[in-house]
């Protein structure tokens, strides 16, 4: 990492300092998050250009890392609770948090890239699932419908509604196709903290009663599966895979709540 790039406070520590600030952010913080979100979205897009059979996930990590550094941003995942790389690469049955390595992408794979940038004291977080070469129809539909579930959830966000409207919309849509909806990995509050403590379930949780307010910033990132929502975790402590090893897809944006709905902060 270039020495002039500001590191998040958690780098070099076993865990971040718990966030104790508000979920509603100032206009200045939101503006800084627009910058961070734009860089994260562009870094993901640059890495995605390389996706093809024969490419390794390490190569994708290198592209995203260099893009963020070149634009003055720190890759938020690097050093977060010991995570060793600058983005997550989750292939096929990997739900989330896959670690880039020498894995070679194959024709017919699907891969999720999850990129977060830290700049100006705030984070911008996004992810998307991409097709590798000629992908079967079942997997293509899963990816398309997971993207659509995020779009529908974003449209459901309105001030005065409870957070559980997000999961209700996602789960009801996913059930139309018999998809599993991952429950134990969620969206989250984000601002100067990578994960503020605010939880955004992607299923209809009766406990998600927090009322949505203008100025709140958080991610929505549904993970849908072709089979069960249950999972196993690899010994690396990060990589999460579907218990039945069926494929899974995910999409994510960072949002700010407006007076009438939302603004997506992670657009390239």
């Amino acid at each position: 990492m270039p020495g002039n790039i500001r590191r998040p406070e958690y780098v070099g520590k076993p865990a971040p300092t718990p966030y104790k600030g508000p979920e509603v952010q100032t206009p200045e913080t939101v503006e800084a998050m627009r910058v961070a979100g734009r860089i994260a979205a562009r870094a993901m897009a640059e890495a995605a250009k390389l996706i093809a059979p024969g490419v390794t996930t390490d190569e994708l990590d290198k592209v995203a890392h260099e893009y963020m550094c070149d634009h003055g941003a720190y890759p938020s995942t690097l050093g977060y609770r010991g995570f060793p790389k600058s983005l997550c690469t989750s292939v096929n049955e990997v739900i989330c948090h896959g670690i880039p390595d020498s894995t070679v992408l194959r024709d017919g794979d699907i891969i999720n890239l999850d990129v977060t940038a830290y700049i100006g004291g705030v984070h911008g977080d996004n992810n998307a699932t991409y097709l590798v070469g000629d992908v079967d129809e079942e997997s293509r539909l899963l990816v398309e419908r997971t993207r659509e579930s995020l779009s529908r959830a974003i449209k459901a966000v309105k001030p005065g509604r409870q957070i559980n409207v997000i999961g209700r919309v996602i789960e009801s849509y996913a059930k139309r196709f018999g998809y599993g909806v991952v429950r134990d990995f969620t969206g989250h509050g984000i601002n100067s903290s990578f994960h503020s403590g605010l939880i955004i379930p992607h299923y209809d949780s009766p406990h998600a009663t927090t009322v949505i307010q203008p100025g709140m910033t958080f991610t929505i990132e549904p993970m849908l599966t072709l089979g069960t929502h249950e999972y196993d975790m690899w010994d690396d402590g990060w990589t999460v895979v579907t218990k039945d090893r069926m494929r899974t897809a995910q999409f994510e944006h960072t949002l700010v709540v407006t007076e009438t709905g939302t603004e997506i902060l992670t657009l390239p």
Side-chain angles (χ1 to χ4, degrees), residues 207-230:
H207 306 294
T209 56
T210 299
V211 175
I212 298 168
Q213 303 176 59
M216 290 177 74
T217 50
F218 53 81
T219 73
I220 304 176
E221 45 189 297
M223 292 150 267
L224 305 186
T225 71
L226 290 175
T228 182
H229 68 270
E230 296 180 345

Side-chain angles (χ1 to χ4, degrees), residues 5-9 36 72-76 116-124 192:
I5 293 179
R6 178 180 173 185
R7 275 73 165 157
E9 60 83 22
Y74 184 93
S76 301
T116 310
Y118 177 79
I119 188 171
V122 297
H123 302 267
S192 60

Side-chain angles (χ1 to χ4, degrees), residues 5 35 47 54 80 97 103 121 124 135 137 143 165 216 245 252 265:
I5 293 179
V35 175
Y80 179 79
H97 305 157
T103 297
V135 176
E137 181 71 4
V143 171
V165 69
M216 290 177 74
R245 305 303 188 263
E252 173 186 25
L265 300 178

Side-chain angles (χ1 to χ4, degrees), residues 10-251:
Y10 52 74
V11 174
K13 296 165 55 178
T17 302
Y19 178 72
K20 295 183 180 178
E23 298 298 344
V24 173
Q25 304 304 310
T26 65
E28 293 75 18
T29 297
V30 172
E31 179 55 34
M33 291 180 68
R34 286 191 185 97
V35 175
R38 191 176 306 122
I39 291 173
R42 290 176 176 172
M44 184 173 71
E46 285 300 308
K49 289 178 183 178
L50 200 66
I51 292 173
V55 173
T56 69
T57 53
D58 255 341
E59 291 175 89
L60 303 177
D61 178 77
K62 180 181 179 182
V63 171
H65 177 93
E66 290 181 351
Y67 185 93
M68 285 184 272
C69 290
D70 288 348
H71 290 81
Y74 184 93
S76 301
T77 59
L78 185 61
Y80 179 79
R81 297 183 181 271
F83 192 84
K85 294 298 178 76
S86 295
L87 82 165
C88 301
T89 50
S90 301
V91 181
N92 295 336
E93 74 274 14
V94 180
I95 295 171
C96 57
H97 305 157
I99 301 173
D101 57 13
S102 59
T103 297
V104 177
L105 297 179
R106 300 170 301 175
D107 188 58
D109 284 344
I110 60 174
I111 179 172
N112 179 272
L113 304 184
D114 193 338
V115 180
T116 310
Y118 177 79
I119 188 171
V122 297
H123 302 267
D125 186 5
N126 69 162
N127 76 54
T129 302
Y130 300 88
L131 310 180
V132 183
D134 185 16
V135 176
D136 67 88
E137 181 71 4
E138 185 179 43
S139 297
R140 278 207 305 267
L141 286 173
L142 173 68
V143 171
E144 178 185 314
R145 289 164 177 167
T146 305
R147 183 191 294 113
E148 175 65 16
S149 76
L150 173 59
S151 177
R152 290 176 180 231
I154 291 172
K155 290 175 183 175
V157 175
K158 306 286 183 186
R161 293 180 174 177
Q162 293 184 341
I163 288 290
N164 67 349
V165 69
I166 295 168
R168 186 181 310 132
V169 166
I170 293 168
E171 186 173 39
S172 63
Y173 179 71
K175 279 184 174 179
R176 287 168 51 181
F177 311 105
Y179 295 154
V181 181
V182 173
R183 301 168 77 89
D184 292 334
F185 299 90
T186 68
H188 53 89
I190 184 170
N191 38 66
S192 60
S193 172
F194 194 171
H195 300 86
S196 73
L198 176 66
I199 301 299
I200 312 295
H202 301 122
Y203 63 98
D204 187 5
S205 169
H207 306 294
T209 56
T210 299
V211 175
I212 298 168
Q213 303 176 59
M216 290 177 74
T217 50
F218 53 81
T219 73
I220 304 176
E221 45 189 297
M223 292 150 267
L224 305 186
T225 71
L226 290 175
T228 182
H229 68 270
E230 296 180 345
Y231 67 93
D232 293 320
M233 184 175 287
W234 287 4
D235 291 341
D236 62 21
W238 284 104
T239 307
V240 180
V241 297
T242 54
K243 187 169 281 293
D244 57 11
R245 305 303 188 263
M246 297 287 282
R247 287 187 169 188
T248 176
Q250 182 183 18
F251 284 84

